[in-house]
């Protein structure tokens, strides 16, 4: 199970960006998410990054493409939930 947490100030900015005409809307966010690549990830310790990428690419691992899709789907779902919550709070 994965839990996504965002500080209140950043959450407020995300809501503004998604719900206002000036913010660019959800399409900008989805375009950004589509560019997510696990293979471009950074880590504080380079050996950790290398080990994680090797696990992803192992024969029994998900592979970059599959993991990227899973991460993007998780983030899209989280964004949708956040939008619904923001709209509900504004009603």
């Amino acid at each position: 199970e994965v839990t996504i947490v965002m500080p209140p100030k950043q959450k407020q900015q995300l809501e503004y960006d998604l719900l206002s005409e000036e913010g660019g809307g959800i399409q900008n966010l989805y375009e950004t998410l589509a560019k997510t690549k696990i293979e471009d990830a950074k880590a504080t310790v380079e050996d950790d990054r290398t080990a994680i990428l090797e696990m992803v690419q192992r024969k029994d691992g998900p592979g970059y493409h599959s993991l990227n899709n899973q991460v993007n789907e998780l983030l899209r779902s989280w964004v949708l939930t956040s939008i619904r919550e923001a709209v509900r709070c504004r009603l």
Side-chain angles (χ1 to χ4, degrees):
E1 182 175 320
V2 175
T3 302
I4 299 173
V5 179
M6 182 178 276
K9 187 173 183 176
Q10 283 75 13
K11 186 174 182 182
Q12 185 178 22
Q13 183 64 48
L14 176 66
E15 290 172 5
Y16 174 80
D17 291 343
L18 294 174
L19 299 174
S20 72
E21 290 183 30
E22 298 86 20
I26 197 166
Q27 187 60 36
N28 282 348
L29 177 65
Y30 282 167
E31 288 172 8
T32 300
L33 290 176
K35 297 174 188 172
T36 301
K37 291 184 175 180
I38 187 73
E39 56 268 42
D40 294 340
K42 294 179 178 31
T44 304
V45 178
E46 184 59 28
D47 287 346
D48 290 346
R49 179 184 179 280
T50 301
I52 291 167
L53 294 178
E54 286 174 358
M55 287 184 345
V56 170
Q57 285 297 93
R58 281 192 325 219
K59 191 173 188 175
D60 61 339
Y64 293 147
H65 181 74
S66 177
L67 186 58
N68 287 334
N69 287 340
Q70 290 173 26
V71 168
N72 284 326
E73 189 58 39
L74 172 71
L75 290 171
R76 283 185 186 104
S77 176
W78 173 78
V79 167
L80 184 56
T81 300
S82 296
I83 292 170
R84 285 179 179 150
E85 181 182 315
V87 169
R88 189 173 37 247
C89 289
R90 291 174 187 227
L91 295 178

